[in-house]
Structure formats: C-alpha cells, structure tokens
C-alpha cells in the first residue's frame, strides 16, 4: 500500500506540491488527471527520488517503509517503477544490455541469481512478443532515434521485465495511436495482482476504458482537489477541468 | 610505509597496480652525459654503429628545447636528476623459469598478467590448441626480462625479441628501419629517446605471413627516479599481418617519473599492423601528487600500396600524457586509423590525438576520439589531417567526442586540417556532452547504482573504440575505465 500524507515539495525555492494526501491500496489502479503544470510529473519524480526535488514536508510510505529516506535505486529495488513522460536517451548503450543490467541489479538486491545474456534474451523476447513490439527494439541504443511512440512502448517493456510492485505511468499514453494505447493498457493489466498497484497519469478517457481505475484524482496547483470513481474521468472528458477547478476555488 | 598501509592507500586512490617490487638492481648513476650513454651501450653489448647513433642523437638533443605548445603544465624536469639505466641484477633475457628472479615472477602474478602468461614466463608453454595465445615481451625498467613463444613464432619466420637483442642479432634490419619513421631530431623527446633508449620490442613479419598469435609487450617501471625510454620497431613486409598490444603500469610514488617512448611501424604493400595500447601508468594521487609523465612519439609509415596501420588506444593513466600516434600514408590506397579513449580524472592532463599525413593517391583515414574528463582534469584532443597535392581522392573522417563528468574539468578540441588537393574529402564532427543528471536518474530509477550508471554511460560513449580492441583486452579496458572513474560522480 502506498500512503502519501501531507506531502509538500519544491524545485529550488519554488513550492510545487502543496500538501498531497493519497492512499493507493494493494491491487488497485488509480488515475491522476489535471491541467498541465499542476505537479503530476513532480509527484512521480518525488516518489521515485529524483535529486533536484526537495521534500519540504509530509511522509510517503510503501508497504510500511519510508520511501523518502531511500536512494532512487533502493526504491526501484523495493518495487517502485516510473514510466517517464519523456524517456531519456542513452547513446551507445544497448537496450538489451541496459535492461539486463537493471534487472540483475534488482535481482541482486532481492538476493536472486543474476541472469546471463542468453537467459535474459529468452525472457525479453517473450515480453516483446507479448507486447507486439519488434525484436530489434532490444538491439537498438536506449531510446536513441526512437519515435515518441517507440519510447513509450520501451517504457512499457521495461516495466514488464522489471515487474514492479508500484508502477507510476506518467502520460505513457500521450501521443500514441489506438493500438499502442492498448499495449500500454495490456502492460499494466498483465501486472495486475493483489500485490501490485499503479498510479496512472493521463489526460485521456480512452486509456481508462481499457484500464478501469479504482479511483480517479484531480491534481491542480499542487493539491488533489477532487477524487471519485471511474465516472469522474468521464465527466472530465466531457466538460474539461474548468468546472472542477471553479468548484475547488 | 607498511605493506598494509600501502595496499589500503592504493585501494583508496583506485590505482591497484601501485606496489613496489624489492629487487636488487644494477643502477647507472644519476645524470645524462656521454659516459652514461656509453655505459648503456656497453651494458647492452651494442655494436659501435649503435653507440654512434646514440651519441649523435644526444648532440642533437642538447640543441633542442622542450615543446611548449601542448595544453599541459608541469614544473621543469631536471634531466640530470634521473637514472637512465636500471636493470634487475640477474641476467636479462632468461629462457626458463630458473633464470627469472622469483621476485619478478611474483610481481607479474600480482599484476594479474594472465596465468597462461605466467606459465609462459615459467618456460612452460601451454597447449597450443587450448585457446588463442599471446606472446609477451616483459620489459622491467630498462631491460626485457622475458620474451615468450619465440620458437613458435620463429617457425613461421616471425622475429619477436627485445630491441636490444635485435640490435645485436639483426643489425641490418635495425639499421635500415630504426629512425626511418621517427627521425632522431623529430622532436625533443624522440631525440632524448634515441640517445638513451633501453629496451622495447622488435617485431619483424616476413612477406605473406599472418602472425599466428597476438604479440604484446608489458612495460613496468619499478625503480625510483628512473626514466623509462622504450623503443619499439615493427616491420610488416608485403602481405604480412600482425596485431600487437602494449600494456603498462608503475608503482605509486610521490615524485613524477618520466616515460619517453618512441614507436615506429612500417607496413609494406597489402600489409596490416594493428597496434593497441592500454595505458595505465600511475596517474598521481587525488591532489595531483606524483604520477608518470608520458611523452611518447608513435608513428607508422604505410609505405606500400593498400597497406594499413590502425592505432587503438585506451589511455587512463599518467599524470601527463603527450602522445599523437600518427600515420604517414605514402602508399596508394593506404589506410590509417586512430581510435582513442582518453580518460582524465583528478589533476591528470592529457593532450593527445593523431596526425594523418596523406601522400598516396586514394589514401584514407579514420579518426575516432573519445575524451572523458572528470575531477579537475584537462583533456585535449589535438589532431592534424594533412593532404598533400599528390594525394588525389584522399579521404578523412574525424569524429571527436568529449564527455564531461562534473563542472571543474575541461575538454578541448584542436583540429588542424590542411588540404592541398581539391579532390580530397575531409569531414570533421565534434560533440561535447555531459553525463546528464536525467541520464543518471533514469538508470538509478531502473535499479542501477550511480557508479554502474556512470560505467554504462561511459562504456556506451566509448563503444566505437572499445570494439576495435582484441576481445579480452576490451573486457580489461572496460574494467579499467570503471576503476579510473570510481568516485568521480557525486
Ligand atoms: N526543473 C524545473 N525548474 C523549475 N520549475 C519546474 C521544473 N520542472 C517543473 N517545474 C514547474 O513545476 C510545475 C509542475 O510541473 P509538472 O510536475 O511537470 O506538471 P505536470 O506534470 O502536471 O504538467 C510547473 O509549474 C512547472 O513549470
Ligand atoms: Mg507532466
């Protein structure tokens, strides 16, 4: 279970998150919606431990452990995965090698044996096939020369291989065609289990059609201003954020 | 310093080859003069012509001044305050284990020179069917202490021996080629080297022979206040093919030590020489104290048509590196290549690059330089591409990338291009990047430690160069990069 209490955070001197309270019980998928610049990506970065974000108050625990106290790699080992809104390019770094290094780092942290190149490739090929991605995705350099859609699919592939306990997807569906959108939804749905939960940042109801969330939250100006069931997303799709923002003001 | 303290110290500084070997040495008195040169020559039983060559070089050197154009700074070097000859007291060039000093054997073991090489040093040649083999010439201070696989090689006509021995046993070859690529007075350090060079390797590959194994020389500086002046000469006759690798380490000391080498390569028609270097001299401590001054002249002459010389270097060591492995492309359609990774951390300074001199019609060259700077180091790529009027249709492609780690280091690119033939094509690309915070965070979010993330990014950055190294050395080089950059982030 993810428990966020009174979380405030700044970039430099500028406060961005202004008191977030959010609980995601195990097995649930929650959607985060909200206007651009409201702090959705910031929340993902703060949960995963990015350096230039300073937590100024509140607490975050995941399955009872204090996340804010941990290095990013330790959070990853504890099962936190962030699918980046803008995935990063690593020139010269082979995607398969990157994924294997990451997977082995996490396996090591769990006291599991490392996978050799052959074992890994077998696993990775099975995932690319399942997610209907071309095999050559593994041979290319991490996100280098990838189209926007390929980058997002690569995030889903990484998530599928690393099998997180808490997945944070930051607009992974933005800019995707309908088929690719389904891949994202399938990626999350495949991981669904009583010990998996997800925070899905999105602007689009059509993703939520495939990925029926337990709860929907609206984030604006660094606060959650409204929460509801799946029907809230449908309402927002119809009438936009204006009414919700006005009601909260 | 106690042994434990020394080990701890070397672990902390990240330099794991910094130990000293206690061995009885034959040491020339400090200073540089004609008597010292005569002493070196007599220690090596040299013929008179060699001594004359040295003395002429010494005369030339005395008229010359240290070059000042490189982006490196150091206190003045007192050339009279060095030993110019240091050799283990035991007889040089032993053929069996009994003749090699056990202290030396222990040292090579400690340096992690692969077991098969140790077996070789012990005179027990492993089963030739077992795996690709490497012949080794081990140079310790001023002498070669062992050269392996000489018999196997001589069966196909390949000569692989210490150059001091070649001077005695193959005088015609040495006379013909020594100084033919790097003339004595080419530069200050080449003149010094010609006067006082002590050992290094000599390789001769006869016409049409593919050398059946990798050749390598391992240089070790051990003695205090001693300069090492290595001299290497490689000749590949028409259609010959050889791959050669050099490695080097030195003890960790507070004073700076001088290493001034000259390497000459000659490739005739259709011959190929691949020369790889993993340079790991002691770089000095975190405050910039100590370390090797590595002032090296390396040049290859592609004399034959379609001949090819390829330099690959991974430079992680030395306090100062001043080194420009070059190719003179004389033969029609000859090919020169330079692949380089230069890493500088702490207070290291590297001014390194290459020269490609195009003389032959249709000659081609490729330059790939990857500079990585961390700490307060300075890393300069300096390259010259010169196309002479005779080099119709010549081509060069240069790619020069710098990677910065931290805010206090410097990367500089100094390309000189001189094209005097309008049909030639010269391309130059240069990039400078930093290991970005977001790249590190992306890796760490996936579970990698910061150190592993840096290694992954650095290895990715160097990939085009590392893949040019023979397989097992590429693995070594990757590990070396990791060790060199340990603690450079955060
Ligand atoms: N590196 C940064 N430096 C300063 N301000 C930033 C930085 N990154 C984001 N911000 C600001 O923080 C706020 C929240 O951004 P973000 O979390 O990306 O919003 P969202 O993902 O909801 O669009 C915005 O006002 C944005 O301009
Ligand atoms: Mg965002």
């Amino acid at each position: 279970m993810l428990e966020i209490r009174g979380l405030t955070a700044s970039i430099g001197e500028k406060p961005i998150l202004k008191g977030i309270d959010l609980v995601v019980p195990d097995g649930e998928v929650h959607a985060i919606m909200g206007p651009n610049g409201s702090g959705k990506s910031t929340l993902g970065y703060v949960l995963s431990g990015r350096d230039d974000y300073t937590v100024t108050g509140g607490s975050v625990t995941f399955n009872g452990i204090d996340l804010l106290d941990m290095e990013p790699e330790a959070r990853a080992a504890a099962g936190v995965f962030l699918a980046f809104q803008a995935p990063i390019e690593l020139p010269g770094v082979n995607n398969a090698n990157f994924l294997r290094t990451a997977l082995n780092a996490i396996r090591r942290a769990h006291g599991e044996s490392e996978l050799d190149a052959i074992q890994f490739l077998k696993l990775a090929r099975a995932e690319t096939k399942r997610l209907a991605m071309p095999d050559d995705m593994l041979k290319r350099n991490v996100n280098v020369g990838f189209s926007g859609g390929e980058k997002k699919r690569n995030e889903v592939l990484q998530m599928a291989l690393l099998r997180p306990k808490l997945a944070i997807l930051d607009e992974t569906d933005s800019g995707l065609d309908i088929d690719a959108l389904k891949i994202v939804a399938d990626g999350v749905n495949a991981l669904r289990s009583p010990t998996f939960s997800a925070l899905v940042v999105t602007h689009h109801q059509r993703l939520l059609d495939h990925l029926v969330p337990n709860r929907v939250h609206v984030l604006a100006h660094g606060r959650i201003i409204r929460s509801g069931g799946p029907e809230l997303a449908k309402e927002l799709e119809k009438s936009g954020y204006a009414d919700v923002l006005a009601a909260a003001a | 310093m106690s042994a434990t303290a020394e080990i701890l110290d070397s672990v902390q500084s990240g330099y794991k080859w910094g130990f000293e070997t206690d061995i009885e040495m034959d040491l020339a008195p400090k200073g540089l003069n004609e008597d010292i040169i005569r002493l070196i020559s007599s220690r090596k039983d040299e013929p008179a012509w060699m001594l004359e060559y040295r003395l002429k070089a010494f005369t030339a050197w005395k008229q010359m001044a240290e070059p000042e154009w490189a982006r490196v700074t150091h206190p003045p070097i007192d050339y009279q305050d060095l030993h110019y000859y240091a050799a283990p007291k035991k007889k040089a060039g032993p053929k069996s284990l009994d003749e090699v000093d056990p202290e030396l054997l222990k040292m090579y073991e400690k340096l992690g020179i692969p077991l098969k090489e140790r077996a070789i040093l012990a005179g027990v040649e492993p089963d030739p069917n077992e795996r690709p083999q490497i012949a080794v010439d081990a140079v310790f201070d001023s002498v070669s202490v062992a050269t392996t696989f000489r018999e196997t090689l001589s069966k196909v006509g390949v000569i692989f021996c210490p150059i001091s021995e070649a001077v005695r046993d193959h005088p015609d070859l040495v006379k013909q080629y020594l100084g033919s690529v790097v003339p004595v007075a080419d530069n200050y350090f080449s003149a010094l080297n010609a006067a006082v060079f002590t050992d290094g390797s000599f390789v001769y590959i006869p016409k049409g022979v593919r050398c059946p194994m990798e050749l390598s020389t391992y240089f070790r500086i051990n003695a205090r206040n001693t300069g090492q002046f290595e001299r290497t000469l490689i000749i590949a006759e028409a259609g010959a093919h050889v791959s050669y690798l050099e490695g080097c380490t030195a003890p960790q000391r507070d004073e700076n030590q001088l290493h001034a080498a000259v390497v000459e390569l000659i490739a005739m028609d259709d011959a190929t020489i691949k020369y790889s270097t993993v340079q790991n001299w002691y770089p000095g401590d975190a405050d910039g104290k100590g370390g090797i001054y590595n002032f090296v002249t390396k040049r290859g002459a592609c004399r034959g048509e379609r001949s090819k010389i390829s330099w690959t270097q991974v430079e992680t060591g030395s306090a100062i590196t001043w080194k420009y492995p070059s190719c003179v492309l004389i033969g029609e359609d000859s090919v020169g290549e330079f692949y380089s990774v230069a890493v500088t951390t702490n207070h290291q300074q590297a001014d390194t690059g290459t020269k490609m001199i195009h003389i032959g019609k249709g000659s081609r060259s490729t330059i790939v330089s990857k500079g990585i700077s961390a700490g307060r180091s300075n890393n300069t790529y300096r390259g010259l591409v010169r196309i002479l009027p005779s080099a119709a249709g010549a081509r060069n492609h240069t790619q020069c990338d710098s990677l910065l780690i931290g805010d206090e280091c410097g990367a500089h690119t100094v390309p000189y291009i001189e094209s005097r033939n309008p049909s030639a094509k010269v391309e130059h690309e240069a990039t400078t990047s930093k290991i970005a915070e977001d790249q590190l965070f992306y890796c760490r979010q996936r579970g990698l430690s910061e150190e592993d993330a840096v290694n992954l990014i650095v290895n990715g950055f160097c990939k085009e160069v590392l893949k040019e190294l023979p397989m097992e050395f590429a693995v070594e080089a990757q590990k070396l990069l990791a060790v060199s950059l340990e603690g450079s982030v955060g």
Side-chain angles (χ1 to χ4, degrees), chain A residues 45 48-50 71-73 76 80-82 84 88-93 97-98 101-102 105-106 108 141 143 155 158 162, chain B residues 433 436-453 455-464 478:
Chain A
Y45 287 141
S48 51
R50 190 171 173 149
E71 295 293 332
E73 55 270 37
V80 177
F81 178 91
L82 173 66
F84 285 56
I88 307 298
E89 297 182 6
L90 301 176
V93 180
N97 184 31
F98 174 66
T101 310
I106 287 177
R108 248 194 336 265
N141 291 336
N143 295 326
E155 297 291 286
Q158 296 183 45
L162 298 179
Chain B
S433 52
E437 278 303 318
D438 59 3
Q439 289 177 319
L440 285 178
F441 176 65
Y442 190 66
C443 294
R444 295 177 75 191
Q445 206 303 303
R446 299 304 186 243
L448 273 67
S449 68
E450 192 159 35
E451 214 109 70
D452 287 348
N455 286 337
L456 199 71
I457 292 166
V458 165
N459 277 311
F461 175 76
C462 301
K463 190 144 94 183
E464 288 157 275
Q478 276 193 14

Side-chain angles (χ1 to χ4, degrees), chain A residues 41 85 170-171:
Chain A
S41 293
Q85 182 173 358
D170 192 354
E171 298 200 28

Side-chain angles (χ1 to χ4, degrees), chain B residues 61 94 135 188 208 219 256 288 294 298 369 408 413 426 461 473-474 488:
Chain B
W61 178 73
Y188 187 79
F219 293 96
N256 295 106
N294 191 34
K298 288 182 165 167
S369 161
E408 289 179 292
T413 302
V426 178
F461 175 76
F473 297 113
S488 59

Side-chain angles (χ1 to χ4, degrees), chain B residues 454-486:
Chain B
V454 170
N455 286 337
L456 199 71
I457 292 166
V458 165
N459 277 311
F461 175 76
C462 301
K463 190 144 94 183
E464 288 157 275
V465 174
L466 295 179
K467 74 174 173 28
E468 293 297 324
L469 285 173
M471 186 58 195
E472 42 206 302
F473 297 113
V475 175
E476 279 306 303
Q478 276 193 14
K479 284 189 204 149
L480 195 56
L481 288 177
V483 172
S484 306
L485 291 170
E486 237 164 55

